[in-house]
Amino acid sequence: MMGVTQMDQFTAFMAQLDTVLAQEQLPSTDLVYVPVTFSFHEQHLHFAINMLQTSFNQGDNAFGVPDILDRIRMLVGLELADRPQSRWPTKATTQALTITPRKMVRVIPVDMQAYRVN
């Protein structure tokens, strides 16, 4: 029965993530769009950013949607800050996908103004 409850938590997390992303107001012209694969296995949330060849496991931490979004955006922002702007992914080339109930892809917009290096 435990697995059903944790699966419900993953489903609730993804629904909350979709709501937060839909309601966000990101005015910057320096937006990049990064597909992130969220999955649930071994009782933990896992996300992978293939573009950066990196992934992160939630472990035993009870991170909520804002924490996870902050972590993703920090990873992306710091990685792309060193790259020329012409190489930033400025268009959403991947749509929100549900691959399986345990694996979903969402496009996360990142405001690069916060990571601007002068």
Side-chain angles (χ1 to χ4, degrees), residues 58-64 67:
Q58 179 186 22
D60 292 328
N61 301 300
F63 294 137
D67 299 319

Side-chain angles (χ1 to χ4, degrees), residues 47-62:
F47 64 83
I49 308 169
N50 292 340
M51 185 189 81
L52 302 183
Q53 298 178 338
T54 191
S55 63
F56 179 79
N57 193 316
Q58 179 186 22
D60 292 328
N61 301 300

Side-chain angles (χ1 to χ4, degrees), residues 7 9 20-21 23 38 41 56 60-61 77 92 96 99 109 114 117:
M7 193 60 210
Q9 287 177 333
V20 168
L21 291 174
Q23 292 175 348
F38 294 88
H41 51 85
F56 179 79
D60 292 328
N61 301 300
I99 299 166
V117 178

Side-chain angles (χ1 to χ4, degrees), residues 37-50:
T37 303
F38 294 88
S39 57
F40 182 77
H41 51 85
E42 297 176 9
Q43 281 69 52
H44 296 299
L45 174 68
H46 182 85
F47 64 83
I49 308 169
N50 292 340

Side-chain angles (χ1 to χ4, degrees), residues 29-114:
T29 56
D30 290 339
L31 286 181
V32 297
Y33 295 92
V34 181
V36 178
T37 303
F38 294 88
S39 57
F40 182 77
H41 51 85
E42 297 176 9
Q43 281 69 52
H44 296 299
L45 174 68
H46 182 85
F47 64 83
I49 308 169
N50 292 340
M51 185 189 81
L52 302 183
Q53 298 178 338
T54 191
S55 63
F56 179 79
N57 193 316
Q58 179 186 22
D60 292 328
N61 301 300
F63 294 137
V65 168
D67 299 319
I68 296 292
L69 279 176
D70 285 348
R71 186 167 294 237
I72 290 169
R73 287 175 167 148
M74 185 179 70
L75 286 169
V76 170
L78 294 175
E79 179 73 23
L80 293 183
D82 293 341
R83 297 186 190 181
Q85 194 166 351
S86 61
R87 292 187 47 216
W88 290 355
T90 55
K91 293 190 173 45
T93 56
T94 302
Q95 299 302 310
L97 300 171
T98 299
I99 299 166
T100 72
R102 293 177 178 267
K103 188 172 189 178
M104 302 182 189
V105 176
R106 296 296 182 266
V107 177
I108 307 297
V110 180
D111 183 351
M112 289 300 293
Q113 280 189 333

